[in-house]
């Protein structure tokens, strides 16, 4: 607003000075007319410099605004994605820990059932059952010596069968535990793979979002540079064709008066020193 008022005041003074030049020209005061002419050229050049500087300052401010907006958006982008990926890592850690705890409980339950299985007596073989029947029959017949011999034989066979059953249970338990541990290992491996795959998807999504953000910034920056370049070209053409002061210059005084600007008197009729 102040710049516009200042430009209007200068334009009004240029109008007065140009009228003075014309008056001097009509009255044959060529020295004074030449002084007015040079003063007009100085004013026009000063106004052109002021206008160009104003345009440069405005364009710099526009570019800085674009840069600041981009930096703010970039910071917000990084903050959002950092939090998102941190939350993902925390959730992944929770899933891994939950699976490990479940595996510990499953293994503990397996060992508990294994211990309970050791208290179960194995099923006797037909040979052992036959020996026990003969042992009882001999004892009932009073043949204790033979009954004792059969008993010893039966006890040995029973001990052998118990040991064999124990070894079979142990072997079966080892195989079952191995399968359980392998299954748990595969489950952990699969979960880690899913977590790694998800993290990679997030990384790719972040990179794609970043590329879109940078492309938007590039587009805005390129558009602004194009607009500013066009503005500088137009300003240069306007300065060279219509004069620095536009309709307020010597060739546009009539238009100036028609618009009412030329009729407004400056605060002081004195020329600026």
């Amino acid at each position: 607003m102040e710049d516009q008022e200042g430009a209007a005041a200068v334009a009004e003074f240029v109008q007065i000075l140009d009228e003075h030049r014309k008056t001097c020209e009509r009255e044959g005061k060529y020295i004074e007319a030449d002084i007015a002419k040079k003063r007009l050229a100085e004013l026009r050049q000063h106004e052109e410099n002021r206008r160009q500087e104003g345009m440069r300052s405005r364009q710099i401010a526009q570019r800085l605004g674009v840069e600041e907006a981009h930096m703010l958006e970039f910071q917000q982008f990084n903050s959002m994605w950092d939090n998102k990926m941190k939350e993902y890592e925390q959730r992944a850690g929770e899933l891994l820990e939950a699976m490990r705890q479940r595996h510990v409980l499953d293994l503990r339950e397996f060992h508990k059932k294994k211990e309970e299985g050791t208290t179960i007596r194995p099923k006797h073989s037909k040979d052992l059952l036959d020996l026990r029947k003969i042992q009882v029959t001999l004892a009932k017949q009073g043949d204790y010596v033979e009954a004792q011999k059969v008993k010893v034989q039966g006890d040995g066979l029973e001990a052998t069968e118990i040991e064999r059953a124990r070894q079979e249970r142990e072997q079966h338990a080892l195989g079952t535990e191995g399968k359980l541990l392998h299954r748990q290992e595969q489950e952990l491996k699969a979960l880690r793979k899913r977590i790694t795959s998800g993290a990679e998807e997030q990384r790719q999504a972040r990179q794609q979002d970043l590329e879109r953000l940078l492309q938007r910034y590039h587009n805005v920056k390129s558009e602004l540079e194009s607009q500013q370049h066009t503005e500088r070209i137009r300003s240069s053409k306007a300065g060279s064709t219509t004069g620095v002061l536009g309709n307020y210059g010597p060739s546009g005084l009539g238009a100036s008066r028609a618009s009412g600007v030329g009729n407004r008197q400056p605060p002081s009729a004195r020329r600026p020193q």
Side-chain angles (χ1 to χ4, degrees), residues 197-212:
S197 176
E200 177 61 19
E201 289 177 0
Q202 277 204 337
R203 189 194 67 78
Q204 293 179 2
R206 178 172 184 163
Q207 182 63 27
Q208 291 172 357
D209 282 356
L210 176 60
E211 290 174 359
R212 284 192 288 267

Side-chain angles (χ1 to χ4, degrees), residues 109-120 170:
E109 182 66 19
F110 171 81
H111 287 156
K112 180 180 178 182
K113 290 181 179 179
K114 176 183 174 183
E115 292 299 326
E116 292 175 351
T118 59
T119 61
I120 300 175
E170 187 69 22

Side-chain angles (χ1 to χ4, degrees), residues 20-34:
H20 173 69
R21 178 189 61 80
K22 291 180 179 180
T23 300
C24 291
E25 181 181 336
R26 286 194 301 270
E27 295 177 354
K29 299 178 180 179
Y30 300 123
I31 300 300
E32 292 186 19
D34 186 63

Side-chain angles (χ1 to χ4, degrees), residues 13 39 270-273:
F13 180 71
R39 179 58 174 158
R270 292 183 298 107
R271 301 176 186 176
Q273 300 297 320

Side-chain angles (χ1 to χ4, degrees), residues 156-208:
L157 180 59
E158 182 176 3
T160 300
E161 291 183 354
I162 291 174
E163 178 60 21
R164 183 170 59 247
R166 185 192 67 77
Q167 292 179 358
E168 289 176 353
R169 285 197 306 271
E170 187 69 22
Q171 193 66 26
H172 179 268
L174 288 175
T176 304
E177 183 175 2
K179 292 179 181 178
L180 174 62
L181 293 175
H182 178 72
R183 178 174 59 80
Q184 291 180 344
E185 182 181 355
Q186 291 300 109
E187 287 179 352
L188 277 174
K189 184 177 179 180
L191 178 58
R192 290 192 184 100
K193 185 176 180 180
R194 290 197 301 272
I195 291 173
T196 301
S197 176
E200 177 61 19
E201 289 177 0
Q202 277 204 337
R203 189 194 67 78
Q204 293 179 2
R206 178 172 184 163
Q207 182 63 27
Q208 291 172 357

